[in-house]
Amino acid sequence: MRVLFVIHELALNGAVTALLAQVRALTAAGTQVTVLAPAVTGRAAALREDFLAAGAAVVARTTAAEHDVAVGCTVFAAEALATLVGHLPLVWWIHEGEGGVEYLVARPAMRQLLGRVDRLVFPGRGTVERVWAGLLGGLPPGRADVIPALVAPPVAGPAAAKAAGRVRVLCVGSIYPRKRQGDLIAAVAALGPAAPVECVLAGERVQLDPAAESLIAANADRFLLPGGLAPAAVQALYRSADIFALPSAEESMPIAPLEAAMFGVPVVLTDLDCYAGVWRHGVNALLHPVADVELLAWSLRMLIESPGLRARLAAAGRMVAERFGPARTTALFAAVLGEVVAGRQVPRAGAG
Amino acid sequence: MKLLVVDASVGFNGSAALAARWAGHLRRRGIDAAATLPNDPDGPLRRVYVAEGVPVLGPTVSLEPDTVALFTTAAARTMVQQVGRPARSIWLIRDGHAGLVSLAAPPGIDRLWETIGALVFHDGIQPRDIFAPFLRTTRPDRVHIVPPGVDLPQPEAVPPPAEGALRVAAVGTIGPRKRQGDLLMALVRMGDPGVTAELVGRVGDLPAEAVRAAQLLAERLRFHGELPVGAVPEVLAGCHAVVLPSDEGIAPLAVLEAAARGLVPVLADLPAYRDVWRHGRNCLLHPPGDVPMLAWCLRILASDPDLRRRLAAAARATAARFPAASFCARMDLVMAGLG
């Protein structure tokens, strides 16, 4: 099979990382993979070499005749995907949560593509049923599939160094307002100077609010911001972490908490709709409302003071993450591609 | 119109509160409503109906009703065995999974799902996730969702949040179903000698571990027994939180009533609560049976008065969405739809 993936950038982020994992799995199974991406450079092309190393061709233009199926990655692939309607079986792999819904609500022409592709793929049931339901109501049954993000099993290796006697709270993700790392910084500061805790925020520092900057400056020995890191360095951080926290205001199904859980790190998250059916407060994670710094601080305090709770949530979280292991996810993705190519849902130009 | 309420409650509970309230409301509208109480004919339940001005008939029903309203799944037995087949019928099911036990018997109950005029649930979860296997023969237009309702106190009647050490309330029959034992064990686990609890409800069986916890807590607990309806608010008045660790339930009235009076609900995290109670927004939740997490919830409330006040205000706003008048009005609409 010849698969064309369409994506708007090759930056180091969740969507591109998820794509790279699938590309690796497909090429390992003998599938011919082409990645169509704009001729981006710099940070927007950070994973370009990884795609090439995975055996994919990375091109800036192509023709439909060279492929059996096309997969658009993220809502930003809409425009490119629309040009392929009627020429190839189409899958739209949507990673976004509410932000993606807003993006398409504001663009009626792109929104129509939801009804024109052969299959929609989302990373979680909660994302489909609670976030995207309003835009999917008119589609035929079976049009939307859920394929969890692929989370690789943890590999052995060194743990990142950390100060003795301190509980390390780790957050992984580009630092900008949507992920609300400022809440985590404020919560860690609220624990007081005596709390044996340090906080590592790994990810490209795009934007951090001034209040958070001030808190970091005032507690310099507590906060570490190493910037965007290669996967091996992130894994070393997971091995060193005692707690993982992601206080995002909006997500679809982020990979970082699943990776942390795979490494046996208990997770603290906001109670987003997309997590329904995956992360449950007190069962396999601790959840708090978006922007509730007070309750986030309590969640951290509970885990810092209670190694037993940490161990229990880590074990339960690990079981969650294993549902996202490569075997199942890869098989699901291959099945969707196979069904679409086999013409179980024949593409119709202009339909919908 | 002659309406007979069949209330199969054992002792005073949320079902009885709703049934009596609606029956009283109908009588005030001039409808000849009466009640029969097959499982508790002479106990506190009777007083609740009498207080609402609703006559309570003996166990052998002498009224020939043209409309019957069944409350709880257990009422189906009386309907099948005694009442016969009236022209119009309503069945309000407040039960969760526990209600399925009542449906195993008696014979003839299967026909009820097909012949009932209106089937009323509190929540969409009940017909979808619990009772779906029984609804195959029920016409979809006969299934209604009517949320419960409680008396909302006037704002000036609600005392300001109590200061001082945390005091919690638990309202409901004390036993394995409502899991008040979890509360007792959590209080022991907290180790905070200032925290006290008021327990309202008939005392049933408690696991040995909970009994030991009660002995350890001795002076920090007050068991009030089953109280008259009007006396519960007095107990709630000095409390900060209402605790219901029950691992089964649909829309508990005691929680709404306490929330309406400014108490923070501390609840086991049940699917049926999802659209009403949200952890950290208007309550604190813990997994059912998870005593350490319940202890953490109590510790958070004991240590953080600001959070307590914020959650209490949000809980009151939530309870305000469920006035008793709305429940009665919606039940009236269901009844009117019977033709």
Side-chain angles (χ1 to χ4, degrees), chain B residues 85-118:
Chain B
R85 188 174 292 185
R88 307 177 346 140
S89 54
I90 300 173
W91 188 4
L92 187 143
I93 296 183
R94 271 183 57 76
D95 314 64
H97 286 95
L100 297 174
V101 176
S102 307
L103 300 175
I109 203 166
D110 289 348
R111 284 203 314 277
L112 201 52
W113 298 102
E114 192 178 344
T115 56
I116 196 81

PDB file of all heavy atoms in Angstrom, chain B residues 85-118:
ATOM      1  N   ARG B  85     -55.491  -3.027  37.049  1.00  0.00           N
ATOM      2  CA  ARG B  85     -55.052  -2.262  35.891  1.00  0.00           C
ATOM      3  C   ARG B  85     -55.900  -0.994  35.748  1.00  0.00           C
ATOM      4  O   ARG B  85     -56.976  -1.006  35.138  1.00  0.00           O
ATOM      5  CB  ARG B  85     -55.162  -3.116  34.630  1.00  0.00           C
ATOM      6  CG  ARG B  85     -54.534  -2.455  33.415  1.00  0.00           C
ATOM      7  CD  ARG B  85     -54.525  -3.366  32.225  1.00  0.00           C
ATOM      8  NE  ARG B  85     -53.636  -4.490  32.417  1.00  0.00           N
ATOM      9  CZ  ARG B  85     -53.373  -5.388  31.473  1.00  0.00           C
ATOM     10  NH1 ARG B  85     -53.922  -5.285  30.296  1.00  0.00           N
ATOM     11  NH2 ARG B  85     -52.555  -6.390  31.703  1.00  0.00           N
ATOM     12  N   PRO B  86     -55.441   0.100  36.329  1.00  0.00           N
ATOM     13  CA  PRO B  86     -56.213   1.346  36.216  1.00  0.00           C
ATOM     14  C   PRO B  86     -56.094   1.911  34.801  1.00  0.00           C
ATOM     15  O   PRO B  86     -55.273   1.463  34.008  1.00  0.00           O
ATOM     16  CB  PRO B  86     -55.533   2.267  37.215  1.00  0.00           C
ATOM     17  CG  PRO B  86     -54.122   1.784  37.231  1.00  0.00           C
ATOM     18  CD  PRO B  86     -54.175   0.305  37.010  1.00  0.00           C
ATOM     19  N   ALA B  87     -56.948   2.883  34.556  1.00  0.00           N
ATOM     20  CA  ALA B  87     -56.942   3.479  33.217  1.00  0.00           C
ATOM     21  C   ALA B  87     -55.624   4.195  32.951  1.00  0.00           C
ATOM     22  O   ALA B  87     -55.119   4.185  31.837  1.00  0.00           O
ATOM     23  CB  ALA B  87     -58.101   4.455  33.092  1.00  0.00           C
ATOM     24  N   ARG B  88     -55.080   4.805  33.989  1.00  0.00           N
ATOM     25  CA  ARG B  88     -53.870   5.625  33.778  1.00  0.00           C
ATOM     26  C   ARG B  88     -52.840   5.279  34.839  1.00  0.00           C
ATOM     27  O   ARG B  88     -53.183   5.087  36.008  1.00  0.00           O
ATOM     28  CB  ARG B  88     -54.231   7.108  33.858  1.00  0.00           C
ATOM     29  CG  ARG B  88     -55.377   7.443  32.929  1.00  0.00           C
ATOM     30  CD  ARG B  88     -55.895   8.859  32.954  1.00  0.00           C
ATOM     31  NE  ARG B  88     -55.525   9.717  34.023  1.00  0.00           N
ATOM     32  CZ  ARG B  88     -55.223  11.009  33.868  1.00  0.00           C
ATOM     33  NH1 ARG B  88     -55.215  11.535  32.661  1.00  0.00           N
ATOM     34  NH2 ARG B  88     -54.932  11.754  34.888  1.00  0.00           N
ATOM     35  N   SER B  89     -51.585   5.224  34.431  1.00  0.00           N
ATOM     36  CA  SER B  89     -50.559   4.841  35.409  1.00  0.00           C
ATOM     37  C   SER B  89     -49.243   5.553  35.121  1.00  0.00           C
ATOM     38  O   SER B  89     -48.871   5.782  33.969  1.00  0.00           O
ATOM     39  CB  SER B  89     -50.349   3.325  35.385  1.00  0.00           C
ATOM     40  OG  SER B  89     -50.070   2.893  34.073  1.00  0.00           O
ATOM     41  N   ILE B  90     -48.561   5.905  36.204  1.00  0.00           N
ATOM     42  CA  ILE B  90     -47.233   6.543  36.139  1.00  0.00           C
ATOM     43  C   ILE B  90     -46.318   5.750  37.055  1.00  0.00           C
ATOM     44  O   ILE B  90     -46.734   5.365  38.156  1.00  0.00           O
ATOM     45  CB  ILE B  90     -47.285   8.005  36.642  1.00  0.00           C
ATOM     46  CG1 ILE B  90     -48.245   8.837  35.802  1.00  0.00           C
ATOM     47  CG2 ILE B  90     -45.894   8.631  36.630  1.00  0.00           C
ATOM     48  CD1 ILE B  90     -48.457  10.240  36.357  1.00  0.00           C
ATOM     49  N   TRP B  91     -45.104   5.550  36.619  1.00  0.00           N
ATOM     50  CA  TRP B  91     -44.157   4.805  37.466  1.00  0.00           C
ATOM     51  C   TRP B  91     -42.880   5.635  37.541  1.00  0.00           C
ATOM     52  O   TRP B  91     -42.192   5.799  36.518  1.00  0.00           O
ATOM     53  CB  TRP B  91     -43.892   3.443  36.858  1.00  0.00           C
ATOM     54  CG  TRP B  91     -43.098   2.494  37.702  1.00  0.00           C
ATOM     55  CD1 TRP B  91     -42.644   2.679  38.964  1.00  0.00           C
ATOM     56  CD2 TRP B  91     -42.685   1.184  37.312  1.00  0.00           C
ATOM     57  NE1 TRP B  91     -41.971   1.563  39.392  1.00  0.00           N
ATOM     58  CE2 TRP B  91     -41.985   0.624  38.401  1.00  0.00           C
ATOM     59  CE3 TRP B  91     -42.844   0.419  36.152  1.00  0.00           C
ATOM     60  CZ2 TRP B  91     -41.428  -0.641  38.346  1.00  0.00           C
ATOM     61  CZ3 TRP B  91     -42.299  -0.840  36.103  1.00  0.00           C
ATOM     62  CH2 TRP B  91     -41.602  -1.373  37.198  1.00  0.00           C
ATOM     63  N   LEU B  92     -42.591   6.193  38.704  1.00  0.00           N
ATOM     64  CA  LEU B  92     -41.351   6.950  38.877  1.00  0.00           C
ATOM     65  C   LEU B  92     -40.300   6.029  39.485  1.00  0.00           C
ATOM     66  O   LEU B  92     -40.498   5.484  40.578  1.00  0.00           O
ATOM     67  CB  LEU B  92     -41.549   8.179  39.768  1.00  0.00           C
ATOM     68  CG  LEU B  92     -40.309   9.081  39.832  1.00  0.00           C
ATOM     69  CD1 LEU B  92     -40.700  10.552  39.879  1.00  0.00           C
ATOM     70  CD2 LEU B  92     -39.412   8.770  41.017  1.00  0.00           C
ATOM     71  N   ILE B  93     -39.216   5.861  38.760  1.00  0.00           N
ATOM     72  CA  ILE B  93     -38.141   4.980  39.217  1.00  0.00           C
ATOM     73  C   ILE B  93     -36.946   5.832  39.615  1.00  0.00           C
ATOM     74  O   ILE B  93     -36.307   6.460  38.771  1.00  0.00           O
ATOM     75  CB  ILE B  93     -37.764   3.968  38.114  1.00  0.00           C
ATOM     76  CG1 ILE B  93     -38.968   3.051  37.831  1.00  0.00           C
ATOM     77  CG2 ILE B  93     -36.547   3.150  38.522  1.00  0.00           C
ATOM     78  CD1 ILE B  93     -38.713   1.969  36.815  1.00  0.00           C
ATOM     79  N   ARG B  94     -36.713   5.874  40.910  1.00  0.00           N
ATOM     80  CA  ARG B  94     -35.550   6.627  41.420  1.00  0.00           C
ATOM     81  C   ARG B  94     -34.343   5.718  41.592  1.00  0.00           C
ATOM     82  O   ARG B  94     -33.251   6.198  41.865  1.00  0.00           O
ATOM     83  CB  ARG B  94     -35.890   7.210  42.803  1.00  0.00           C
ATOM     84  CG  ARG B  94     -36.531   8.569  42.755  1.00  0.00           C
ATOM     85  CD  ARG B  94     -36.771   9.099  44.153  1.00  0.00           C
ATOM     86  NE  ARG B  94     -35.574   9.188  44.967  1.00  0.00           N
ATOM     87  CZ  ARG B  94     -34.646  10.136  44.843  1.00  0.00           C
ATOM     88  NH1 ARG B  94     -34.776  11.052  43.912  1.00  0.00           N
ATOM     89  NH2 ARG B  94     -33.587  10.151  45.637  1.00  0.00           N
ATOM     90  N   ASP B  95     -34.566   4.445  41.448  1.00  0.00           N
ATOM     91  CA  ASP B  95     -33.514   3.490  41.784  1.00  0.00           C
ATOM     92  C   ASP B  95     -32.386   3.477  40.754  1.00  0.00           C
ATOM     93  O   ASP B  95     -32.585   3.783  39.591  1.00  0.00           O
ATOM     94  CB  ASP B  95     -34.089   2.068  41.852  1.00  0.00           C
ATOM     95  CG  ASP B  95     -35.385   2.010  42.648  1.00  0.00           C
ATOM     96  OD1 ASP B  95     -36.360   2.635  42.209  1.00  0.00           O
ATOM     97  OD2 ASP B  95     -35.403   1.350  43.689  1.00  0.00           O
ATOM     98  N   GLY B  96     -31.243   3.031  41.226  1.00  0.00           N
ATOM     99  CA  GLY B  96     -30.151   2.668  40.336  1.00  0.00           C
ATOM    100  C   GLY B  96     -30.148   1.160  40.187  1.00  0.00           C
ATOM    101  O   GLY B  96     -31.205   0.523  40.136  1.00  0.00           O
ATOM    102  N   HIS B  97     -28.961   0.589  40.170  1.00  0.00           N
ATOM    103  CA  HIS B  97     -28.852  -0.856  39.985  1.00  0.00           C
ATOM    104  C   HIS B  97     -29.561  -1.638  41.098  1.00  0.00           C
ATOM    105  O   HIS B  97     -30.052  -2.736  40.861  1.00  0.00           O
ATOM    106  CB  HIS B  97     -27.380  -1.286  39.919  1.00  0.00           C
ATOM    107  CG  HIS B  97     -26.736  -0.913  38.618  1.00  0.00           C
ATOM    108  ND1 HIS B  97     -26.013   0.246  38.447  1.00  0.00           N
ATOM    109  CD2 HIS B  97     -26.744  -1.536  37.411  1.00  0.00           C
ATOM    110  CE1 HIS B  97     -25.593   0.318  37.202  1.00  0.00           C
ATOM    111  NE2 HIS B  97     -26.011  -0.742  36.541  1.00  0.00           N
ATOM    112  N   ALA B  98     -29.607  -1.061  42.308  1.00  0.00           N
ATOM    113  CA  ALA B  98     -30.247  -1.770  43.418  1.00  0.00           C
ATOM    114  C   ALA B  98     -31.710  -2.052  43.099  1.00  0.00           C
ATOM    115  O   ALA B  98     -32.281  -3.039  43.572  1.00  0.00           O
ATOM    116  CB  ALA B  98     -30.126  -0.956  44.707  1.00  0.00           C
ATOM    117  N   GLY B  99     -32.320  -1.221  42.301  1.00  0.00           N
ATOM    118  CA  GLY B  99     -33.729  -1.406  41.961  1.00  0.00           C
ATOM    119  C   GLY B  99     -33.979  -2.641  41.135  1.00  0.00           C
ATOM    120  O   GLY B  99     -35.115  -3.154  41.094  1.00  0.00           O
ATOM    121  N   LEU B 100     -32.958  -3.144  40.481  1.00  0.00           N
ATOM    122  CA  LEU B 100     -33.139  -4.323  39.636  1.00  0.00           C
ATOM    123  C   LEU B 100     -33.566  -5.534  40.468  1.00  0.00           C
ATOM    124  O   LEU B 100     -34.243  -6.419  39.968  1.00  0.00           O
ATOM    125  CB  LEU B 100     -31.838  -4.641  38.878  1.00  0.00           C
ATOM    126  CG  LEU B 100     -31.381  -3.562  37.890  1.00  0.00           C
ATOM    127  CD1 LEU B 100     -30.022  -3.924  37.310  1.00  0.00           C
ATOM    128  CD2 LEU B 100     -32.404  -3.390  36.773  1.00  0.00           C
ATOM    129  N   VAL B 101     -33.173  -5.535  41.742  1.00  0.00           N
ATOM    130  CA  VAL B 101     -33.522  -6.663  42.618  1.00  0.00           C
ATOM    131  C   VAL B 101     -35.038  -6.789  42.723  1.00  0.00           C
ATOM    132  O   VAL B 101     -35.600  -7.888  42.674  1.00  0.00           O
ATOM    133  CB  VAL B 101     -32.900  -6.459  44.019  1.00  0.00           C
ATOM    134  CG1 VAL B 101     -33.321  -7.563  44.966  1.00  0.00           C
ATOM    135  CG2 VAL B 101     -31.388  -6.398  43.905  1.00  0.00           C
ATOM    136  N   SER B 102     -35.712  -5.658  42.835  1.00  0.00           N
ATOM    137  CA  SER B 102     -37.167  -5.669  42.992  1.00  0.00           C
ATOM    138  C   SER B 102     -37.866  -6.183  41.744  1.00  0.00           C
ATOM    139  O   SER B 102     -39.027  -6.563  41.790  1.00  0.00           O
ATOM    140  CB  SER B 102     -37.689  -4.259  43.282  1.00  0.00           C
ATOM    141  OG  SER B 102     -37.012  -3.709  44.366  1.00  0.00           O
ATOM    142  N   LEU B 103     -37.169  -6.155  40.640  1.00  0.00           N
ATOM    143  CA  LEU B 103     -37.815  -6.507  39.381  1.00  0.00           C
ATOM    144  C   LEU B 103     -37.732  -8.000  39.085  1.00  0.00           C
ATOM    145  O   LEU B 103     -38.276  -8.466  38.089  1.00  0.00           O
ATOM    146  CB  LEU B 103     -37.170  -5.715  38.228  1.00  0.00           C
ATOM    147  CG  LEU B 103     -37.288  -4.207  38.391  1.00  0.00           C
ATOM    148  CD1 LEU B 103     -36.537  -3.494  37.291  1.00  0.00           C
ATOM    149  CD2 LEU B 103     -38.738  -3.775  38.381  1.00  0.00           C
ATOM    150  N   ALA B 104     -37.033  -8.732  39.963  1.00  0.00           N
ATOM    151  CA  ALA B 104     -36.926 -10.175  39.740  1.00  0.00           C
ATOM    152  C   ALA B 104     -38.264 -10.859  40.017  1.00  0.00           C
ATOM    153  O   ALA B 104     -38.536 -11.936  39.516  1.00  0.00           O
ATOM    154  CB  ALA B 104     -35.837 -10.751  40.623  1.00  0.00           C
ATOM    155  N   ALA B 105     -39.083 -10.263  40.838  1.00  0.00           N
ATOM    156  CA  ALA B 105     -40.383 -10.841  41.194  1.00  0.00           C
ATOM    157  C   ALA B 105     -41.347  -9.665  41.343  1.00  0.00           C
ATOM    158  O   ALA B 105     -40.907  -8.530  41.469  1.00  0.00           O
ATOM    159  CB  ALA B 105     -40.263 -11.596  42.513  1.00  0.00           C
ATOM    160  N   PRO B 106     -42.602  -9.811  41.359  1.00  0.00           N
ATOM    161  CA  PRO B 106     -43.331 -11.065  41.246  1.00  0.00           C
ATOM    162  C   PRO B 106     -43.688 -11.370  39.789  1.00  0.00           C
ATOM    163  O   PRO B 106     -43.409 -10.537  38.913  1.00  0.00           O
ATOM    164  CB  PRO B 106     -44.601 -10.750  42.038  1.00  0.00           C
ATOM    165  CG  PRO B 106     -44.827  -9.295  41.750  1.00  0.00           C
ATOM    166  CD  PRO B 106     -43.475  -8.669  41.611  1.00  0.00           C
ATOM    167  N   PRO B 107     -44.323 -12.504  39.529  1.00  0.00           N
ATOM    168  CA  PRO B 107     -44.739 -12.784  38.168  1.00  0.00           C
ATOM    169  C   PRO B 107     -45.747 -11.731  37.708  1.00  0.00           C
ATOM    170  O   PRO B 107     -46.519 -11.209  38.502  1.00  0.00           O
ATOM    171  CB  PRO B 107     -45.399 -14.173  38.269  1.00  0.00           C
ATOM    172  CG  PRO B 107     -45.514 -14.492  39.708  1.00  0.00           C
ATOM    173  CD  PRO B 107     -44.643 -13.574  40.480  1.00  0.00           C
ATOM    174  N   GLY B 108     -45.730 -11.441  36.478  1.00  0.00           N
ATOM    175  CA  GLY B 108     -46.659 -10.452  35.937  1.00  0.00           C
ATOM    176  C   GLY B 108     -46.039  -9.087  35.806  1.00  0.00           C
ATOM    177  O   GLY B 108     -46.580  -8.197  35.150  1.00  0.00           O
ATOM    178  N   ILE B 109     -44.872  -8.898  36.430  1.00  0.00           N
ATOM    179  CA  ILE B 109     -44.258  -7.567  36.402  1.00  0.00           C
ATOM    180  C   ILE B 109     -43.773  -7.212  35.000  1.00  0.00           C
ATOM    181  O   ILE B 109     -43.734  -6.044  34.619  1.00  0.00           O
ATOM    182  CB  ILE B 109     -43.123  -7.490  37.441  1.00  0.00           C
ATOM    183  CG1 ILE B 109     -42.892  -6.036  37.825  1.00  0.00           C
ATOM    184  CG2 ILE B 109     -41.842  -8.096  36.936  1.00  0.00           C
ATOM    185  CD1 ILE B 109     -42.046  -5.892  39.048  1.00  0.00           C
ATOM    186  N   ASP B 110     -43.451  -8.236  34.216  1.00  0.00           N
ATOM    187  CA  ASP B 110     -42.971  -7.964  32.866  1.00  0.00           C
ATOM    188  C   ASP B 110     -44.004  -7.169  32.060  1.00  0.00           C
ATOM    189  O   ASP B 110     -43.660  -6.311  31.258  1.00  0.00           O
ATOM    190  CB  ASP B 110     -42.651  -9.274  32.139  1.00  0.00           C
ATOM    191  CG  ASP B 110     -41.405  -9.929  32.717  1.00  0.00           C
ATOM    192  OD1 ASP B 110     -40.717  -9.238  33.489  1.00  0.00           O
ATOM    193  OD2 ASP B 110     -41.146 -11.093  32.409  1.00  0.00           O
ATOM    194  N   ARG B 111     -45.273  -7.486  32.296  1.00  0.00           N
ATOM    195  CA  ARG B 111     -46.331  -6.813  31.517  1.00  0.00           C
ATOM    196  C   ARG B 111     -46.400  -5.323  31.846  1.00  0.00           C
ATOM    197  O   ARG B 111     -46.852  -4.522  31.048  1.00  0.00           O
ATOM    198  CB  ARG B 111     -47.677  -7.469  31.811  1.00  0.00           C
ATOM    199  CG  ARG B 111     -47.871  -8.817  31.130  1.00  0.00           C
ATOM    200  CD  ARG B 111     -49.367  -9.133  30.985  1.00  0.00           C
ATOM    201  NE  ARG B 111     -50.113  -8.877  32.208  1.00  0.00           N
ATOM    202  CZ  ARG B 111     -50.181  -9.738  33.218  1.00  0.00           C
ATOM    203  NH1 ARG B 111     -49.542 -10.877  33.169  1.00  0.00           N
ATOM    204  NH2 ARG B 111     -50.894  -9.444  34.290  1.00  0.00           N
ATOM    205  N   LEU B 112     -45.951  -5.010  33.062  1.00  0.00           N
ATOM    206  CA  LEU B 112     -46.045  -3.618  33.514  1.00  0.00           C
ATOM    207  C   LEU B 112     -45.248  -2.679  32.605  1.00  0.00           C
ATOM    208  O   LEU B 112     -45.672  -1.552  32.335  1.00  0.00           O
ATOM    209  CB  LEU B 112     -45.532  -3.532  34.955  1.00  0.00           C
ATOM    210  CG  LEU B 112     -45.963  -2.336  35.786  1.00  0.00           C
ATOM    211  CD1 LEU B 112     -47.455  -2.159  35.781  1.00  0.00           C
ATOM    212  CD2 LEU B 112     -45.463  -2.512  37.215  1.00  0.00           C
ATOM    213  N   TRP B 113     -44.077  -3.149  32.155  1.00  0.00           N
ATOM    214  CA  TRP B 113     -43.256  -2.285  31.302  1.00  0.00           C
ATOM    215  C   TRP B 113     -43.985  -1.936  30.008  1.00  0.00           C
ATOM    216  O   TRP B 113     -43.775  -0.879  29.427  1.00  0.00           O
ATOM    217  CB  TRP B 113     -41.941  -2.994  30.949  1.00  0.00           C
ATOM    218  CG  TRP B 113     -41.094  -3.306  32.130  1.00  0.00           C
ATOM    219  CD1 TRP B 113     -40.950  -4.510  32.735  1.00  0.00           C
ATOM    220  CD2 TRP B 113     -40.277  -2.396  32.867  1.00  0.00           C
ATOM    221  NE1 TRP B 113     -40.099  -4.417  33.807  1.00  0.00           N
ATOM    222  CE2 TRP B 113     -39.665  -3.124  33.908  1.00  0.00           C
ATOM    223  CE3 TRP B 113     -40.008  -1.034  32.752  1.00  0.00           C
ATOM    224  CZ2 TRP B 113     -38.805  -2.546  34.833  1.00  0.00           C
ATOM    225  CZ3 TRP B 113     -39.149  -0.454  33.664  1.00  0.00           C
ATOM    226  CH2 TRP B 113     -38.563  -1.207  34.696  1.00  0.00           C
ATOM    227  N   GLU B 114     -44.846  -2.840  29.581  1.00  0.00           N
ATOM    228  CA  GLU B 114     -45.539  -2.645  28.323  1.00  0.00           C
ATOM    229  C   GLU B 114     -46.797  -1.809  28.506  1.00  0.00           C
ATOM    230  O   GLU B 114     -47.169  -1.011  27.649  1.00  0.00           O
ATOM    231  CB  GLU B 114     -45.899  -4.025  27.765  1.00  0.00           C
ATOM    232  CG  GLU B 114     -46.370  -4.013  26.331  1.00  0.00           C
ATOM    233  CD  GLU B 114     -46.649  -5.445  25.858  1.00  0.00           C
ATOM    234  OE1 GLU B 114     -46.190  -6.402  26.512  1.00  0.00           O
ATOM    235  OE2 GLU B 114     -47.335  -5.572  24.829  1.00  0.00           O
ATOM    236  N   THR B 115     -47.459  -2.001  29.677  1.00  0.00           N
ATOM    237  CA  THR B 115     -48.771  -1.372  29.846  1.00  0.00           C
ATOM    238  C   THR B 115     -48.710  -0.042  30.593  1.00  0.00           C
ATOM    239  O   THR B 115     -49.683   0.704  30.575  1.00  0.00           O
ATOM    240  CB  THR B 115     -49.703  -2.321  30.635  1.00  0.00           C
ATOM    241  OG1 THR B 115     -49.075  -2.640  31.878  1.00  0.00           O
ATOM    242  CG2 THR B 115     -49.946  -3.602  29.855  1.00  0.00           C
ATOM    243  N   ILE B 116     -47.584   0.243  31.228  1.00  0.00           N
ATOM    244  CA  ILE B 116     -47.513   1.473  32.038  1.00  0.00           C
ATOM    245  C   ILE B 116     -47.735   2.705  31.135  1.00  0.00           C
ATOM    246  O   ILE B 116     -47.244   2.759  30.006  1.00  0.00           O
ATOM    247  CB  ILE B 116     -46.151   1.554  32.776  1.00  0.00           C
ATOM    248  CG1 ILE B 116     -46.216   2.581  33.911  1.00  0.00           C
ATOM    249  CG2 ILE B 116     -45.003   1.895  31.823  1.00  0.00           C
ATOM    250  CD1 ILE B 116     -46.861   2.044  35.150  1.00  0.00           C
ATOM    251  N   GLY B 117     -48.486   3.659  31.657  1.00  0.00           N
ATOM    252  CA  GLY B 117     -48.792   4.842  30.840  1.00  0.00           C
ATOM    253  C   GLY B 117     -47.617   5.777  30.692  1.00  0.00           C
ATOM    254  O   GLY B 117     -47.395   6.357  29.629  1.00  0.00           O
ATOM    255  N   ALA B 118     -46.856   5.944  31.766  1.00  0.00           N
ATOM    256  CA  ALA B 118     -45.689   6.830  31.718  1.00  0.00           C
ATOM    257  C   ALA B 118     -44.631   6.300  32.671  1.00  0.00           C
ATOM    258  O   ALA B 118     -44.937   5.956  33.814  1.00  0.00           O
ATOM    259  CB  ALA B 118     -46.076   8.258  32.101  1.00  0.00           C
TER     260      ALA B 118
END
